[in-house]
Amino acid sequence: MDSLTQIVLGAAVGEAVLGKKVGNKAMLYGAIAGTIPDLDVMARFLFDTVTATEIHRGFSHSIFFAILFAPIFGWLISKIERKGGASFKDWSWLMFWGLFTHPVLDAFTTWGTQLFWPFKTRLAFQNIFVIDPLYTLPFIVFLVMAMRQKKTSPKRKRYNRLGLTVSTAYLVTTLILKWVAYRQFSYSLEAQGIAYEKLDTRPTPFNTILWSANVDAGDVYLIGEYSFFDTKEIVFRSYPKNHQLLGDLSSDEKIERLIKVTEGWYTINKKEDGLYFNDLRFGLISLDPKESRFAFTYALRPSDNGLSVYETPKYRKDAKRLLGVLWQRIWGN
């Protein structure tokens, strides 16, 4: 999830663990704990594109990381907050839950997490977009209401618990919505006589009303959208896999690693300046029916020193275009 959501979740968890003892400091350190796992994004400044992509939501988003670093951070905080009324054990427990709940929440997104690192299994339930106002905004409201109460006030605990309850209830609801959307895509594929090997669904940006599906149909991938307000049949657009365009590059170590990252959901495009590797898991850059660019695309540049991989940039104008089409499409076809 986005940084703001993780800060709010961490603060709420910190309050639940230690708020009665240390008041708003529990929220502060909980928010810090909720931010720490995402510092793995710094890998992009230290490693090549493929390695940085593999590191993201890996070690720092694991149970092992939470167990290992919770006592270290707990010890540091206990030295800073000597007069806070909380022990080393208290602070360690707060940090553990802050570090642990972060990857648990991320597991519900499209990218997922390696919660059981060093095992390679990546949990990605794909039932909530990385930014979802319906999850975050009510959570913030209840957290601020709790923050304004004295640490011994029963209302403080009640408001914080309400924030955790409402956000969790919404998360569970999105799982149900995902199942309903999945069934609609399945019915539509069957009704249209489309044979397929695999169907993958996820919410479109910022909402859980409009859902998108990737369909593995042999030599091509199909992509379609379904809104709960739709009245017409789902339209699936075809995108050739073009895996053969890789040629000898298909055996390159970096390509093999990229394929593992995408779990096989990728296409290859050939342009005048070379080949491009598209990660289908996050869909197209916009919902425009004529759109051909994907949200995550990597330029492949062979040289005498080996293959170089670069993530293509995204621009503010792309976001504006996405929001405009998204708002119209949510309300049905």
Side-chain angles (χ1 to χ4, degrees):
M1 298 293 285
D2 64 286
S3 298
L4 175 60
T5 300
Q6 292 291 6
I7 287 172
V8 173
L9 174 62
V13 169
E15 170 62 26
V17 174
L18 210 53
K20 194 171 182 179
K21 278 190 177 181
V22 299
N24 287 341
K25 285 185 178 180
M27 291 189 183
L28 171 64
Y29 287 108
I32 292 173
T35 302
I36 289 172
D38 276 343
L39 294 180
D40 64 359
V41 297
M42 301 300 292
R44 71 181 64 174
F45 301 110
L46 304 172
F47 301 97
D48 64 90
T49 299
V50 178
T51 302
T53 302
E54 292 172 324
I55 289 174
H56 185 48
R57 293 193 182 179
F59 168 63
S60 67
H61 286 68
S62 66
I63 298 174
F64 179 75
F65 180 87
I67 294 173
L68 178 65
F69 282 94
I72 296 174
F73 292 129
W75 177 81
L76 288 173
I77 298 171
S78 67
K79 296 301 180 183
I80 296 171
E81 304 291 345
R82 293 178 182 273
K83 299 179 181 180
S87 65
F88 156 70
K89 182 179 179 181
D90 292 330
W91 289 118
S92 297
W93 196 235
L94 180 151
M95 293 303 293
F96 169 79
W97 284 107
L99 294 171
F100 175 64
T101 53
H102 178 123
V104 168
L105 179 58
D106 276 347
F108 291 93
T109 66
T110 300
W111 193 279
T113 59
Q114 285 183 251
L115 192 63
F116 303 110
W117 186 96
F119 299 103
K120 298 297 183 180
T121 302
R122 184 177 291 272
L123 295 181
F125 300 115
Q126 303 186 69
N127 57 292
I128 191 169
F129 189 66
V130 291
I131 303 174
D132 191 326
L134 285 181
Y135 179 88
T136 308
L137 294 180
F139 212 163
I140 292 176
V141 171
F142 284 117
L143 187 67
V144 172
M145 290 171 66
M147 190 185 302
R148 293 170 63 86
Q149 303 296 318
K150 294 181 179 180
K151 66 180 181 180
T152 55
S153 171
K155 288 184 178 181
R156 184 182 179 99
K157 183 177 181 180
R158 189 180 311 132
Y159 290 146
N160 191 61
R161 184 177 295 173
L162 275 171
L164 288 166
T165 301
V166 170
S167 61
T168 301
Y170 176 70
L171 200 59
V172 172
T173 301
T174 63
L175 287 169
I176 299 172
L177 296 176
K178 177 182 174 69
W179 178 81
V180 174
Y182 180 90
R183 296 297 294 174
Q184 289 295 327
F185 283 118
S186 298
Y187 291 147
S188 185
L189 288 166
E190 183 178 351
Q192 296 180 46
I194 299 174
Y196 65 96
E197 299 173 12
K198 191 176 180 181
L199 171 61
D200 194 46
T201 61
R202 63 188 181 279
T204 57
F206 316 120
N207 77 103
T208 49
I209 297 174
L210 178 63
W211 291 73
S212 179
N214 287 344
V215 184
D216 187 343
D219 293 333
V220 300
Y221 287 116
L222 305 177
I223 296 180
E225 288 86 34
Y226 168 74
S227 167
F228 291 113
F229 294 109
D230 278 357
T231 56
K232 301 177 183 178
E233 189 175 58
I234 297 173
V235 175
F236 293 96
R237 301 179 300 280
S238 178
Y239 297 86
K241 292 182 177 180
N242 291 331
H243 293 176
Q244 75 281 358
L245 292 178
L246 286 172
D248 294 338
L249 288 178
S250 60
S251 59
D252 186 273
E253 180 227 4
K254 288 184 178 179
I255 295 297
E256 291 178 344
R257 288 159 60 195
L258 268 181
I259 292 173
K260 287 182 180 179
V261 167
T262 64
E263 299 177 347
W265 291 99
Y266 72 98
T267 65
I268 304 297
N269 286 349
K270 187 175 183 179
K271 299 181 181 180
E272 292 181 359
D273 57 346
L275 296 177
Y276 288 84
F277 185 107
N278 304 303
D279 186 342
L280 265 67
R281 294 174 302 157
F282 306 96
L284 297 155
I285 201 75
S286 81
L287 297 179
D288 189 322
K290 298 180 181 179
E291 184 60 73
S292 60
R293 294 179 303 143
F294 288 85
F296 284 88
T297 294
Y298 302 91
L300 310 179
R301 299 292 180 264
S303 67
D304 294 338
N305 297 322
L307 178 67
S308 296
V309 178
Y310 306 97
E311 182 179 342
T312 59
K314 303 173 194 58
Y315 303 100
R316 184 172 297 179
K317 64 179 181 180
D318 294 325
K320 291 181 178 179
R321 193 155 57 93
L322 169 63
L323 289 174
V325 178
L326 177 66
W327 181 253
Q328 293 179 0
R329 183 63 185 86
I330 282 177
W331 302 111
N333 57 8

